[in-house]
Amino acid sequence: MSADSPLHRERICKKLVEDQAIIDVIAKNMLNVYEGTYSFSKILDEQNTIVVTYVPKLPFDNALPPIILRLQSQLDQVEMTTAINHSLDVYQQYHQLPAVLFILPNKLSNPFLDPFDPIQDKPYLFCLPGAAWCCKCFLLSNNVENTSTYQEDELYKLSRLLLEGLDSS
């Protein structure tokens, strides 16, 4: 993500915080919950990453995990370690392991993707099974050949909208 597009980043952050439709698309696709179940909790806007935490709206929804959205320009060992540490911080705060969604503009190398499994009906979405630091871990990147097939999928469209105009430096 380019540091020289602060207005664009600011708009993205504002949408991720205020737009309930965006929150609903993320929560529904990650956890299969009803619209309006989650709300914004916290946002971090770092140099190459925007991290948003969503939590269940109602106190009796404590069976539902927090959701962490990580919109970032790259994912490597250092970034993954940062994500794990952030997940553990969220666990400390909410006493539940979070569900994590990485959205990346770039393709990832096969060695990095090896532990991830593609989701059958959403081949652009990958899942990391058995991660001890979160209850679910999803990765959405450009690691698919024919993206025109997914243009109508709401999570895919949202990811493209959020990444539009951001550089992958």
Side-chain angles (χ1 to χ4, degrees), residues 57 102 165:
K57 282 185 176 179
F102 293 92

Side-chain angles (χ1 to χ4, degrees), residues 31 38 63-68 84 87-92 94-100 131-136:
L31 300 172
Y38 277 81
L64 295 172
I67 294 174
I68 299 173
I84 291 169
S87 293
L88 296 175
D89 290 343
V90 168
Y91 172 76
Q92 291 280 325
Y94 295 103
H95 310 291
Q96 276 214 310
L97 290 173
V100 180
W133 49 273
C134 62
C135 68
K136 292 185 177 191

Side-chain angles (χ1 to χ4, degrees), residues 72 74-75 102-106 108 139-142 160 163:
Q72 53 194 98
Q74 64 179 12
L75 186 59
F102 293 92
I103 298 180
L104 310 163
N106 300 341
L108 292 172
L139 172 74
L140 197 159
S141 75
N142 279 330
R160 297 305 102 198
L163 293 172

